[in-house]
């Protein structure tokens, strides 16, 4: 049975954030809100938690996991970021963007794309997610909560509870969040390009 915490979207209660981070540190898999959707989250190095996330979404080995980072310095620890990519990410974050970058050795191999050795990174604009990262002190391994056979992430924490109560350790209720896909930008091999246009606008990359 998953714990269910109602956390204030504008002013997250520190006591509840601390409780949530305790669950993550103990190997828990959580559902939490971002600025684009609800997502699954776990500690970076926890293989068992990652396997649970794969099982819930039925993901294969080619899935690009994402690291939810608190700031640019965390991004630079886990990715090889050129000057152009650094400037772009600084300009567009926090916001609904996912950046695909070459991973550094800090990223466990199983989290990287098997062929490309890339990792997705995000810096979200959601207060609850940012408070979690602040308290955790490291990025969160994450993937959008899109269930098998579905095209969109689940929007209502109560529906999530009904469906996944037995498979999760914690569900954070931050209100209804309708799915809005992030804009995915690849920043590899000295090429920067939009590979999926979502709600994030990057006019400097449009032709």
């Amino acid at each position: 049975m998953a714990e269910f915490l109602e956390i204030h979207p504008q002013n997250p209660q520190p006591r509840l954030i601390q409780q949530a981070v305790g669950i993550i540190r103990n190997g828990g898999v959580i559902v939490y809100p971002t600025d684009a959707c609800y997502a699954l989250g776990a500690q970076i190095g926890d293989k068992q938690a990652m396997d649970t996330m794969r099982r819930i979404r039925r993901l294969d080995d080619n899935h690009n996991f994402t690291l939810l980072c608190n700031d640019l310095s965390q991004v630079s620890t886990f990715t090889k970021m050129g000057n152009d990519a650094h400037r772009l990410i600084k300009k567009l974050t926090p916001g609904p963007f996912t950046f695909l970058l070459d991973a550094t050795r800090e990223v466990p191999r199983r989290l990287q794309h098997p062929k490309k050795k890339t990792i997705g990174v995000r810096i979200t604009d959601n207060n609850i997610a940012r408070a979690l990262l602040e308290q955790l002190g490291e990025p969160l391994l994450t993937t959008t909560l899109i269930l098998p056979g579905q095209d969109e992430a689940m929007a209502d924490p109560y529906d999530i509870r009904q469906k996944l109560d037995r498979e999760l350790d914690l569900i954070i209720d931050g209100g209804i969040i309708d799915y809005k896909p992030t804009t995915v930008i690849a920043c590899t091999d000295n090429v920067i390009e939009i590979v999926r246009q979502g709600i994030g606008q990057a006019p400097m990359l449009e032709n």
Side-chain angles (χ1 to χ4, degrees):
M1 298 277 283
E3 289 196 49
F4 193 84
L5 296 179
E6 293 181 13
I7 299 184
H8 196 283
Q10 263 69 52
N11 302 297
Q13 305 92 316
R15 180 180 56 83
L16 298 182
I17 292 294
Q18 212 161 355
Q19 202 177 327
V21 167
I23 290 169
I24 295 166
R25 286 196 177 126
N26 283 330
V29 174
I30 73 164
V31 163
Y32 71 98
T34 73
D35 49 1
C37 61
Y38 274 96
L40 292 162
Q43 203 163 20
I44 292 177
D46 197 315
K47 186 182 182 303
Q48 208 172 341
M50 180 184 163
D51 289 343
T52 300
M53 289 162 74
R54 280 193 191 280
R55 191 177 67 244
I56 290 170
R57 284 203 51 192
R58 294 195 200 140
L59 297 171
D60 63 20
D61 289 344
N62 289 321
H63 180 72
N64 241 327
F65 275 94
T66 298
L67 298 181
L68 190 76
C69 298
N70 202 25
D71 52 32
L72 271 168
S73 74
Q74 279 189 350
V75 174
S76 65
T77 300
F78 291 90
T79 67
K80 298 166 188 168
M81 202 176 15
N83 290 338
D84 290 345
H86 186 281
R87 273 195 297 273
L88 182 72
I89 295 169
K90 189 174 182 181
K91 201 176 182 75
L92 295 177
T93 60
F97 294 89
T98 302
F99 300 93
L100 301 178
L101 293 149
D102 293 322
T104 64
R105 288 180 180 170
E106 297 295 321
V107 179
R109 185 162 290 185
R110 63 179 172 271
L111 304 189
Q112 302 174 25
H113 188 283
K115 292 191 181 75
K116 301 174 189 165
K117 305 296 180 219
T118 54
I119 187 79
V121 292
R122 283 205 64 205
I123 300 177
T124 182
D125 203 14
N126 179 281
N127 291 328
I128 294 172
R130 291 182 75 79
L132 285 173
L133 292 171
E134 193 72 46
Q135 182 75 30
L136 187 62
E138 65 179 24
L140 194 64
L141 175 66
T142 190
T143 185
T144 306
L145 181 56
I146 299 176
L147 294 182
Q150 301 295 310
D151 295 324
E152 298 195 350
M154 297 182 77
D156 187 332
Y158 285 90
D159 290 346
I160 295 169
R161 186 184 202 175
Q162 220 169 8
K163 197 110 180 167
L164 296 173
D165 193 34
R166 294 179 181 281
E167 298 189 65
L168 297 166
D169 298 285
L170 169 68
I171 297 161
I172 293 177
D173 178 358
I176 304 280
I177 299 179
D178 290 322
Y179 175 58
K180 303 176 288 290
T182 61
T183 293
V184 180
I185 301 176
C187 307
T188 52
D189 301 325
N190 295 322
V191 176
I192 296 179
E193 60 181 351
I194 295 174
V195 291
R196 181 184 75 189
Q197 182 63 57
I199 53 163
Q201 297 300 315
M204 68 286 285
L205 295 181
E206 289 166 12
N207 294 328

